[in-house]
Structure formats: C-alpha cells, structure tokens
Amino acid sequence: MESGTIDLDDLAGGIDLQATLESGQSFCWSREDGGSYERSAVSGGSAWYTTVLPTDFTGEREVVRVRQADGRLEWEATTDAVAPLTHLLRLDDDLDALQAAAPDDPLIDAALDAYRGLRIVRDPPFATLIAFICSAQMRVGRIHGMQRALAREFGSVVDFDGETYHAFPTPEELAAASEADLRACSLGYRAPYVERTAELVASDEVRPEDARGKEYEAAREYLKQFVGVGDKVADCVLLFSLGYLEAVPLDTWIQTAIAEHFPDCDRGSYAETSRAIRREFGGEHAGYVQTHVFHYLRGGGDAPNGD
C-alpha cells in the first residue's frame, strides 16, 4: 500500500472534499462509512472516500482512498495517487481566480460563499455517461445506489488493504449483461438505454470521449447519439467528465433558479435558454457557478432576492 498527503495550502482555493463528492455531480466514489448522499447540505466532512480507477491511468485497476483532515488530503492507494487525484478532483483549477471572476449576483455570491472549495470533478467518461442516463426522474442517492449495484454485479474485483472493491464495469462487461440483469439493479425503464449505450461503446461505434475537442454545442449534439441522452444528460457528461466548464445542465434546480432569479434567461427552448444562462453565469466557467447553485439550492439554501 502507498500513502501520502496533499497540503490544502498548495491548492488555489483549497478543496471541500465532501461537498465535491456529494454534490450530485459524481457517482464514482463511495464513502467507506456507507453514508454517501444520505444528506443534501453537506460540506467539510472527514470521511474516507474510495474509488477504483479505470485502467487509463496505469494499465491496471487501482484503488484510491482519500479523506480531508487537518488542512490536507490524506490518501492510501495501490499506486501513487497524486496524479490521479489531481486529475479526478481538478486540483489544478484555481478556485480563487474562478470565484473572483464570477458574476456579481446575490444568489451566486451566496452559493459560492456557502461551499468554498467545491470543485468540479473529472470522472471517467463511460461511467459518467451511464450514471446520468440513469439520472432521469431519480434522486441522487438512488443514482449512486444504481451505480454501486452495477459495479457489484458486473465490474471486476480488486482487493486492497483486506477489503474487496468493485470497479465500475467496462463497456464490454456491461454490454454482456441482459436487460433483465440490468433491471435487477433497479434501473427500471432505463435498462434498455444502458444496454444499448454499452453495446455502442463496446463496439467502438460511438464513444463519449470522442466528443472531447469539439466545439461545445457540437459536442453536446454528438453525445445525443446515445440512447437515453438528451440535452441535459449530455451537458452533465460534458461538465463532469470531458472538461467543458462552460456547460450548464438545466436540471430542476437550475430551472428553479432561472424562474425565480433570472427570468430573462428563459427563452423557451433548451438551446436558447442554455446560451442565456451560460452568459448570466459567467460564460467560460459557468459550470462552476451552476454546480455551486445546484448544491446550494438542493441543500435548502435561502435564495436572496437581490433587493
């Protein structure tokens, strides 16, 4: 086992690990105490979180365990975890600069202040795609449970520090599952969407990572080739996996924010409303504002009226 620390003073803007990993943007990590997504307004915790890395990092399935305590990130892993953690948690983003550049607005200010250190994740593309296909009409805790069930049933097993961990299944592993198998993981009507999407990726017919590098709206259209993927799910994949920090998924909470605080941004269609709210949220890094506002409102934060 390897272990180490990352000093939060070395990160521009620090990190709030619990807010980052339990803000509804990532379903690839699990709290070792089993408490992931039990509450909404979370921040500042010191629990251990664990994930199994895809083989992209070292060619092997590696386990990484991390927690935040005493002004640092502590990690234990089957490999040196600094580079994977920096990538997955976007530890190289300058949160101080991003916050300074955010629009001056009462709701945005309140959300940023409430969850300082909340970073956007950079999760593996296939796992992110499947998670958000499963997200339709579903609470975040249930989405997380579905992803853990898929890992237990179809993913490879990795032993670490006396425990057994399950990797999220590869496209090939998931494509081999039947619709009935997937429904047994509580996917419901989403099961055939997941089945067909896994088949597309396993056959190299379409891959989510191939959207990377395209102009933002073209990348969103590319991802809509997958069964069960509309504009909102595509935006989630772009923001939380593929590095499109301008993406603003128009989920229920952001639609509420638009209706109550930015009504001029409601243009009657997803595409036009998306363009308007991205400008309102600061353009290039609008996704950071979106993620803070989502977590703030979902956690019951009082939305100032700007008077």
Side-chain angles (χ1 to χ4, degrees), residues 194-233:
V194 169
E195 180 182 36
R196 180 57 182 146
T197 292
E199 291 171 351
L200 287 171
V201 180
S203 68
D204 270 343
E205 187 173 342
V206 190
R207 302 187 307 162
E209 55 266 38
D210 289 343
R212 190 184 286 121
K214 299 181 184 294
E215 183 272 331
Y216 162 62
E217 292 193 2
R220 187 169 66 196
E221 288 302 310
Y222 178 88
L223 290 175
K224 288 164 65 176
Q225 296 179 81
F226 292 105
V227 182
V229 176
D231 290 309
K232 197 243 349 183
V233 170

Side-chain angles (χ1 to χ4, degrees), residues 15-275:
I15 187 172
D16 185 326
L17 186 65
Q18 183 177 25
T20 297
L21 296 182
E22 294 189 55
S23 57
Q25 57 169 319
S26 177
F27 304 97
C28 293
W29 296 80
S30 292
R31 267 173 57 172
E32 296 228 327
D33 63 5
S36 294
Y37 287 114
E38 286 185 344
R39 296 184 298 115
S40 297
V42 296
S43 66
S46 59
W48 285 99
Y49 293 85
T50 306
T51 194
V52 180
L53 302 178
T55 57
D56 305 23
F57 288 94
T58 67
E60 303 290 338
R61 289 291 194 183
E62 307 283 4
V63 177
V64 174
R65 178 189 294 155
V66 63
R67 72 170 178 175
Q68 181 175 345
D70 300 325
R72 62 185 184 271
L73 291 179
E74 301 175 358
W75 60 264
E76 300 172 347
T78 54
T79 187
D80 187 335
V82 173
L85 286 171
T86 300
H87 176 86
L88 293 170
L89 303 177
R90 299 190 67 100
L91 299 182
D92 47 355
D93 283 351
D94 186 339
L95 297 194
D96 290 332
L98 291 173
Q99 183 152 345
D104 184 12
D105 171 85
L107 174 59
I108 293 172
D109 290 345
L112 292 174
D113 287 344
Y115 294 105
R116 289 183 179 273
L118 192 166
R119 290 177 178 266
I120 287 178
V121 297
R122 193 189 278 118
D123 278 343
F126 180 67
T128 306
L129 176 63
I130 297 301
F132 284 100
I133 287 175
C134 292
S135 70
Q137 300 178 324
M138 194 61 60
R139 294 182 179 275
V140 292
R142 289 283 307 280
I143 303 165
H144 184 265
M146 289 178 184
Q147 306 318 297
R148 295 305 92 213
L150 291 174
R152 286 194 305 271
E153 293 300 319
F154 310 114
S156 58
V157 172
V158 184
D159 293 323
F160 171 59
D161 195 26
E163 301 289 338
T164 297
Y165 297 90
H166 298 267
F168 191 79
T170 65
E172 294 76 15
E173 289 169 337
L174 206 52
S178 68
E179 181 179 331
D181 292 335
L182 296 172
R183 286 184 181 274
C185 293
S186 301
L187 268 63
Y189 71 85
R190 305 159 194 82
Y193 303 163
V194 169
E195 180 182 36
R196 180 57 182 146
T197 292
E199 291 171 351
L200 287 171
V201 180
S203 68
D204 270 343
E205 187 173 342
V206 190
R207 302 187 307 162
E209 55 266 38
D210 289 343
R212 190 184 286 121
K214 299 181 184 294
E215 183 272 331
Y216 162 62
E217 292 193 2
R220 187 169 66 196
E221 288 302 310
Y222 178 88
L223 290 175
K224 288 164 65 176
Q225 296 179 81
F226 292 105
V227 182
V229 176
D231 290 309
K232 197 243 349 183
V233 170
D235 269 338
C236 290
V237 178
L238 292 174
L239 179 59
F240 303 133
S241 177
L242 299 180
Y244 286 79
L245 296 183
E246 68 267 47
V248 176
L250 301 184
D251 55 69
T252 300
W253 292 107
I254 299 304
Q255 294 281 16
T256 297
I258 291 171
E260 296 181 0
H261 298 274
F262 311 103
D264 290 346
C265 291
D266 187 351
R267 305 296 173 84
S269 72
Y270 191 102
E272 292 301 323
T273 301
S274 172
R275 293 185 188 117

